[in-house]
Structures are given as structure tokens and as C-alpha cells.
Amino acid sequence: MGHNWFGEGSKVIITSRNKQVLNIPEVDWTYELNCMDFDKSLQLFSTHAFRRDRPLDDYLAHSKKAVGIAGGLPLALEVIGSLLSCKSKEKWDAILKKLEKVPHEEVSSKLKISYEALDDRQRHIFLDVACFFIGCDKEMVIHMWDETKLFPEEALEVLQHMSLIKIIRKSELWMHDLIRDLGREIIRQDSNMATEKQTRVWDADDALDLLRRNQKKKQVETLGLWFRHGLWFRWFRHEAEPYFTDEDLMRFPNLRFLRAESLKVLIMSRCCRLVRTPDFSGLANLERPIMQDCTSLVKVDESVGQLQRLVVLDVRFCSQLRDLPNEVYMLKSLKELLVEGTLVEHNVSSNPSYGSLPEKALSRHPLKMASRYT
């Protein structure tokens, strides 16, 4: 940033787990933060274990033992305290005995004990958050989890109670870097360090490498793809941009989540089992969602109205589709709405529930109802 960004008397504090980051001339002095002393450690631990500033009298000896195991590390005190909260003394004895077997310096191994206390559904959601959803809106993310199998609301509450995640700014998912790294390391170890065997691939370069391999990857469930120059599917090619086809994606038969923040063109044509479109709210750069010949499609998600760069919306020959969200007609960027072979155009002009909204929208920008590209 340079010193010119700041007014006279300003101080910039840099925190890092890597001392090498601070070995530059611009850093005036460094300070190594020590672990918490015993009294403050006991207070922090009690806050999470008992929801008060000091332990219950019956648990004082156990609490001192737990604080000693945490070694003054705030994150460990918080997680271990949350793990022991509302549990019997017998459970405390068993957990503390397990924690004592872990070498003092191996913080991640201590944190993994909390992960092992989760059930399979909670582990699934924990790993998804660690790999993809830190910083995402909780309400938006919940929709991608199967509510009938994973019970995401309940699972997130458990993770929050155990201090494995936090909800900040009312609904934003947050996770400590050490816990994030723990989750990703669990994925690597379970796959024997082979990317093609990982259930979750969060690194964009690794994901692109897998896409270019001419083989099926049955283990991969989620892919992270976000690139500086954008991402294009099938239609348009630019040599400076990553490019692959829908055939490449077909090599991931168990794929349930694809992240591509700079996605401009998304082709879902002939997805005969697609009943409702996905949530588009995370695809701010999307210009052309193509859903031609999706014969089971009955609903376009309201989030399509958030796509301020939308140029073409193609739902041709989606024979079951009767209407579109009203927000579509208010998009100033929209040039072509392709609805041939649907009941959308008929309902826009005849259904009184639409009122005069389409006509108003049409008068604001050059939207045209079209049956083919111009």
C-alpha cells in the first residue's frame, strides 16, 4: 500500500503465522505474541465450557487439566471448552484422556478430536465450509445441502456450538484458518494425497488440471473454479481464458457443486431432469444462461433478477415453463429473452397477475421477445 495511503500518526499492524512475511524494510518493529497466562486461559475456557467466567466448583480440577492441555492457545481453549460443554464428568475424563495422548505442539491434532466428535452429516457440512463457503451467506449456502438427509440448520448450530465455525455480520460463515487447514488436510489424507481421489477440490489450478484429464473422477463431488480472466463454457473461446466443454464435466458423474465466480456463459441445455434452475446469486458476471430444451423445467429461480450483466436468457422449448420471475423484466442489461416453445410469452401478455410490468420494462430498455438469435 505504501506509506502515502495513511495520515500522519497512523499505525499499521500486520499479523502473520509466518515470520518471513515481516522480514522487509517497511516493517519498523516486530513483536511475538505469547500464549495466554493461566488465569486468562481459565477464564476463556470457562466462557465456552460453562458460559461464565470461572468453572463450576465440581469441575475446577478437570478445568485446570483442560487448560494445561490447551497450552495457552486461545483457539484450542475455545474449541476444547466448547467440546466439553454440557457433558458429564465421565465424558470429560474420556475426552481429556484422549487429548493428553496428543503431543502438546500438535494443535491440529487436538482440534481434530472435536471433528471426530461430529456425526457423518455434521462432518460433511464442516468439510464443505472449510473448502468452499468461508465468507458466504449462511442462508444462501443452506439451499445446496439436502435438507432431508443433512439437516443443515441443525448441523450448523452444532458446529457453531463447538466453535468450529462462527456466524458473523448476522449470517456470514467464518472459520479460523487453523480449523480451515485441518478440514482441508483431512480431505488430502483421506485421498492419499491424490487430487483425483479428493471429494472436494478447492484449488483452481488442481481443478483445471483434473478437467483436462481424459478419465472419470468418481470421487470428486465439488470443484472450485475461479480465474482472473473469467470462465467460458462451450460457446466462446478466448486463448487467454481457461476453456472446457460440457463433455469435460461429464467425467465427474458425482459432481454436486461447481464454483466459478467469473462465469459468463452457462449452458444447461437438454438437462431433461432439471425442474428448477440453481441459485444464480453467486454468479455476478453471468451474461448468458442457456436452458434450451429443458423439458422438465417449471421454475427459474428468482435470483436471476440479481444478474445485472445478463444479456441473453434462453429458455426455448422448455415446454413446462409457464412464467418467469417479474424481476427479469426490470433488468436494464437484458437484450434478448428467448421463449419460443414455452407458455411464457402467452402468459406475459394475457395473465392479469402480471399487470403492466412487462410493458413498463420493455419501455425502459431494448428488450425484445425473440425466437432466434439476431
Side-chain angles (χ1 to χ4, degrees):
M1 293 183 290
H3 288 84
N4 294 333
W5 278 35
F6 307 100
E8 186 177 355
S10 297
K11 292 181 174 66
V12 179
I13 299 174
I14 305 167
T15 62
S16 174
R17 285 183 283 155
N18 183 355
K19 291 182 180 180
Q20 291 299 114
V21 171
L22 307 177
N23 290 336
I24 56 174
E26 289 81 4
V27 173
D28 297 307
W29 64 83
T30 61
Y31 174 79
E32 185 169 352
L33 189 64
N34 296 319
C35 294
M36 299 179 73
D37 64 33
F38 183 83
D39 290 338
K40 286 188 169 59
S41 294
L42 187 61
Q43 181 180 355
L44 177 60
F45 172 82
S46 300
T47 300
H48 293 276
F50 306 105
R51 304 298 186 262
R52 48 183 277 176
D53 288 344
R54 53 176 286 105
L56 298 173
D57 291 340
D58 290 346
Y59 284 81
L60 181 58
H62 286 76
S63 297
K64 289 181 176 179
K65 190 174 183 179
V67 168
I69 290 172
L73 295 170
L75 178 63
L77 288 162
E78 187 174 329
V79 171
I80 293 173
S82 299
L83 174 63
L84 295 170
S85 179
C86 302
K87 290 187 169 59
S88 65
K89 281 188 177 180
E90 290 74 18
K91 284 282 188 181
W92 276 58
D93 287 331
I95 293 172
L96 291 175
K97 185 176 180 180
K98 191 172 184 180
L99 286 167
E100 281 183 313
K101 293 180 180 179
V102 179
H104 175 76
E105 66 276 4
E106 294 183 11
V107 180
S108 293
S109 297
K110 290 185 173 72
L111 301 178
K112 191 174 182 181
I113 293 171
S114 290
Y115 169 79
E116 292 169 347
L118 303 173
D119 65 27
D120 289 341
R121 297 175 296 109
Q122 294 155 4
R123 291 183 184 185
H124 181 99
I125 288 177
F126 168 80
L127 294 173
D128 276 353
V129 174
C131 294
F132 291 100
F133 300 133
I134 298 172
C136 293
D137 184 273
K138 180 188 76 169
E139 299 303 325
M140 184 186 77
V141 172
I142 280 175
H143 293 298
M144 73 145 287
W145 288 310
D146 189 335
E147 292 187 14
T148 62
K149 295 180 180 179
L150 296 175
F151 307 104
E153 291 272 12
E154 177 192 345
L156 289 174
E157 284 185 12
V158 171
L159 295 177
Q160 193 173 4
H161 177 73
M162 296 182 68
S163 296
L164 293 174
I165 65 168
K166 290 184 180 179
I167 307 297
I168 61 174
R169 301 186 187 92
K170 295 185 179 180
S171 64
E172 184 179 323
L173 293 171
W174 182 87
M175 181 180 284
H176 193 283
D177 288 356
L178 284 174
I179 297 177
R180 176 204 64 196
D181 294 346
L182 166 68
R184 295 181 177 185
E185 186 59 26
I186 288 170
I187 297 292
R188 291 190 188 98
Q189 291 178 2
D190 288 347
S191 66
N192 293 321
M193 310 305 287
T195 308
E196 68 274 10
K197 294 182 180 179
Q198 290 182 196
T199 55
R200 298 158 179 85
V201 181
W202 57 90
D203 182 84
D205 292 328
D206 288 343
L208 189 59
D209 178 61
L210 287 181
L211 281 162
R212 288 168 173 165
R213 296 186 195 178
N214 189 20
Q215 63 186 69
K216 279 199 172 184
K217 302 93 178 176
K218 294 182 179 180
Q219 288 89 347
V220 178
E221 299 176 11
T222 59
L223 276 178
L225 290 163
W226 50 98
F227 300 93
R228 181 180 302 174
H229 298 293
L231 182 64
W232 299 76
F233 281 90
R234 193 195 301 169
W235 272 18
F236 306 103
R237 178 153 190 185
H238 190 289
E239 293 301 325
E241 294 166 342
Y243 170 83
F244 51 87
T245 67
D246 53 349
E247 286 80 11
D248 296 318
L249 283 175
M250 289 175 67
R251 300 191 187 103
F252 298 82
N254 296 312
L255 192 67
R256 58 183 173 85
F257 175 76
L258 173 68
R259 180 174 180 178
E261 293 182 351
S262 297
L263 190 69
K264 294 184 179 180
V265 178
L266 176 62
I267 298 176
M268 296 178 281
S269 297
R270 293 182 294 281
C271 292
C272 297
R273 296 183 183 180
L274 184 68
V275 177
R276 176 175 179 159
T277 68
D279 187 335
F280 294 110
S281 56
L283 301 173
N285 295 310
L286 190 63
E287 297 177 0
R288 298 169 182 262
I290 312 299
M291 293 165 280
Q292 188 176 343
D293 290 309
C294 293
T295 53
S296 299
L297 184 68
V298 296
K299 185 172 179 61
V300 175
D301 193 82
E302 291 84 358
S303 59
V304 72
Q306 300 177 29
L307 302 179
Q308 297 302 315
R309 299 185 180 182
L310 190 69
V311 176
V312 174
L313 179 61
D314 186 352
V315 291
R316 288 178 295 172
F317 305 108
C318 296
S319 55
Q320 301 297 315
L321 187 64
R322 294 180 175 273
D323 52 32
L324 293 170
N326 287 344
E327 293 84 355
V328 168
Y329 305 102
M330 309 305 291
L331 289 170
K332 295 180 180 180
S333 61
L334 189 60
K335 304 297 185 198
E336 289 187 303
L337 178 58
L338 308 179
V339 296
E340 182 184 3
T342 73
L343 297 173
V344 172
E345 187 171 11
H346 171 74
N347 284 341
V348 164
S349 59
S350 65
N351 192 330
S353 66
Y354 281 93
S356 59
L357 178 61
E359 286 77 15
K360 290 181 180 178
L362 284 165
S363 67
R364 287 189 180 131
H365 60 80
L367 170 69
K368 57 182 177 181
M369 308 291 283
S371 61
R372 60 177 53 89
Y373 290 105
T374 58

